[in-house]
């Protein structure tokens, strides 16, 4: 299941918050075990991000279709924990892991077609507190007023657990339709698709992480990893 971006400004804000989380980890599959792993946390990125998801692609096929929209939502990034491992022989390239503690809520609109039944349902969508774990590879370089981050081997999407009464209604309707149709309506997989939707990671080239989103300690840690010389004090 895929999504399209919502408001462009909000999408950029989401990128700024997640780019060193979502985009900086590729894990043990890379041959970096001999290198030192560095743990980082960027406190300034822990805040609320709004309206970055619009309409999701339809779930299901002919005879069973669910189209979801979330025209308004707010997701709180409560904490982030990033572990970066320099990749030997590749300047500015890192591998590692990230953990993002998130929660939030939003509006939900669902257009449901199950056999002859057509329903339009609205509700509040809840993103319960959860930890999202990701893996990727990234190249980072110091630029004016910040850092350029170029993701490589980035996951295309992440699963996020969600809850709503509307989702429960859709699952109940599908079960009823499956019973009445003697199995002609197939509800298998619908539960997982609705309660753990796969949300695409904002992508498209490199990202810019501005100095204003980092503390002095954050910048010093990144500069040390990149081998950037300390500025000369007046």
């Amino acid at each position: 299941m895929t999504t399209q971006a919502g408001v462009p400004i909000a999408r950029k804000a989401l990128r700024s918050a997640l780019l060193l989380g979502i985009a900086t980890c590729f894990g043990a599959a890379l041959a970096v075990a001999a290198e030192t792993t560095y743990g980082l946390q960027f406190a300034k990125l822990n805040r609320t991000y709004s309206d970055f998801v619009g309409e999701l692609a339809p779930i299901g096929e002919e005879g069973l279709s669910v189209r979801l929209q979330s025209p308004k939502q707010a997701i709180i990034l409560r904490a982030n924990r990033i572990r970066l491992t320099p990749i030997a022989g590749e300047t500015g390239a890192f591998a590692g892991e990230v953990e993002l503690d998130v929660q939030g809520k939003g509006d939900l609109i669902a257009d449901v077609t199950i056999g002859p039944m057509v329903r339009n349902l609205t509700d509040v969508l809840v993103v319960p507190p959860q930890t999202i774990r990701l893996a990727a590879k990234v190249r980072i370089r110091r630029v004016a007023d910040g850092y350029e981050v170029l993701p490589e081997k980035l996951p295309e999407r992440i699963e996020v657990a969600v809850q709503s009464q509307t989702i429960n209604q859709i699952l109940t309707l599908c079960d009823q339709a499956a019973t009445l149709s003697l199995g002609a309506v197939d509800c298998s997989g619908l539960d997982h698709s609705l309660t753990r939707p796969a949300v695409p990671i904002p992508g498209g080239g490199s990202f810019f992480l501005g100095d204003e989103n980092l503390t002095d300690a954050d910048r010093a840690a990144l500069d040390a990893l990149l081998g950037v010389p300390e500025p000369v004090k007046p």
Side-chain angles (χ1 to χ4, degrees):
M1 178 166 60
T2 59
T3 62
Q4 296 176 341
V7 180
I9 294 177
R11 186 177 182 181
K12 290 180 181 178
L14 176 66
R15 287 178 178 178
S16 296
L18 302 184
L19 53 89
L20 277 185
I22 292 177
T24 54
C25 320
F26 189 62
L30 298 169
V32 294
E35 299 294 330
T36 301
T37 296
Y38 300 87
L40 302 171
Q41 297 185 41
F42 299 119
K44 280 192 171 184
L45 300 183
N46 298 333
R47 55 180 184 261
T48 299
Y49 298 88
S50 302
D51 304 342
F52 54 85
V53 176
E55 182 176 348
L56 284 74
I59 302 169
E61 300 175 354
E62 185 177 353
L64 171 57
S65 174
V66 181
R67 183 182 294 274
L68 301 176
Q69 300 179 63
S70 182
K72 184 172 183 174
Q73 71 281 158
I75 300 295
I76 302 170
L77 178 60
R78 297 184 290 115
N80 64 86
R81 296 172 296 279
I82 299 166
R83 290 179 288 276
L84 295 178
T85 306
I87 298 175
E90 297 189 41
T91 303
F94 300 90
E97 303 179 324
V98 64
E99 293 181 345
L100 305 174
D101 295 340
V102 301
Q103 69 181 89
K105 65 179 182 179
D107 297 336
L108 177 65
I109 301 173
D111 294 312
V112 184
T113 300
I114 303 176
M117 294 188 299
V118 178
R119 299 285 189 276
N120 178 266
L121 306 171
T122 60
D123 195 11
V124 173
L125 183 73
V126 175
V127 179
Q130 60 195 279
T131 299
I132 300 173
R133 295 175 175 84
L134 303 160
K137 175 184 175 182
V138 69
R139 293 184 183 275
I140 307 172
R141 70 184 185 97
R142 193 65 159 107
V143 295
D145 300 322
Y147 301 83
E148 182 185 57
V149 182
L150 178 62
E152 296 180 1
K153 299 181 180 178
L154 183 68
E156 293 182 358
R157 54 185 60 84
I158 54 174
E159 287 191 354
V160 178
V162 298
Q163 301 170 350
S164 85
Q165 291 299 317
T166 288
I167 289 174
N168 295 337
Q169 287 179 262
I170 295 171
L171 295 173
T172 298
L173 286 172
C174 195
D175 287 340
Q176 292 173 349
T179 300
L180 293 174
S181 66
L182 301 178
V185 175
D186 183 7
C187 299
S188 62
L190 185 59
D191 189 333
H192 187 275
S193 295
L194 291 175
T195 59
R196 296 195 64 87
V199 179
I201 294 174
S206 62
F207 304 129
F208 175 73
L209 180 63
D211 286 337
E212 71 277 6
N213 287 313
L214 301 170
T215 64
D216 291 343
D218 294 338
R219 291 191 294 273
L222 283 173
D223 287 346
L225 283 176
L226 297 174
V228 176
E230 293 186 9
V232 178
K233 296 182 180 179

